[in-house]
């Protein structure tokens, strides 16, 4: 599930909020969530970058691996 304060937002706003949270926390889960939202928005290049960022912080992150598949 999306983090508190993000789930009820429109996808474009979710992307903005998740990007801020991902950069602030460096939490791979936030990068995976951001990648998923970016895919929904059709921004596959940025989604791929987000999944790759998640893998930089946690090379075994399954969500990021699935997102890149």
């Amino acid at each position: 599930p999306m983090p508190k304060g993000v789930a009820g937002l429109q996808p474009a706003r979710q992307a903005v909020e998740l990007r801020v949270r991902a950069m602030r926390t460096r939490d791979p889960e936030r990068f995976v969530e951001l990648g998923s939202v970016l895919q929904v928005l059709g921004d596959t290049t940025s989604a791929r970058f987000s999944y790759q960022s998640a893998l930089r912080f946690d090379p075994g992150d399954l969500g990021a691996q699935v997102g890149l598949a």
Side-chain angles (χ1 to χ4, degrees), residues 22-46:
M23 296 305 295
R24 184 178 60 224
T25 65
R26 307 251 189 242
D27 181 350
E29 188 175 345
R30 297 293 88 83
F31 284 101
V32 171
E33 292 164 347
L34 175 58
S36 296
V37 170
L38 291 168
Q39 281 187 319
V40 167
L41 292 171
D43 188 351
T44 56
T45 300
S46 294

Side-chain angles (χ1 to χ4, degrees), residues 8-62:
L9 301 174
Q10 294 294 322
R13 183 71 185 130
Q14 285 178 337
V16 170
E17 182 63 27
L18 288 169
R19 184 173 283 118
V20 168
R21 291 180 185 208
M23 296 305 295
R24 184 178 60 224
T25 65
R26 307 251 189 242
D27 181 350
E29 188 175 345
R30 297 293 88 83
F31 284 101
V32 171
E33 292 164 347
L34 175 58
S36 296
V37 170
L38 291 168
Q39 281 187 319
V40 167
L41 292 171
D43 188 351
T44 56
T45 300
S46 294
R48 184 169 188 75
F49 182 80
S50 292
Y51 293 132
Q52 290 169 338
S53 295
L55 290 174
R56 274 190 226 99
F57 295 108
D58 179 4
D61 189 289
L62 184 59

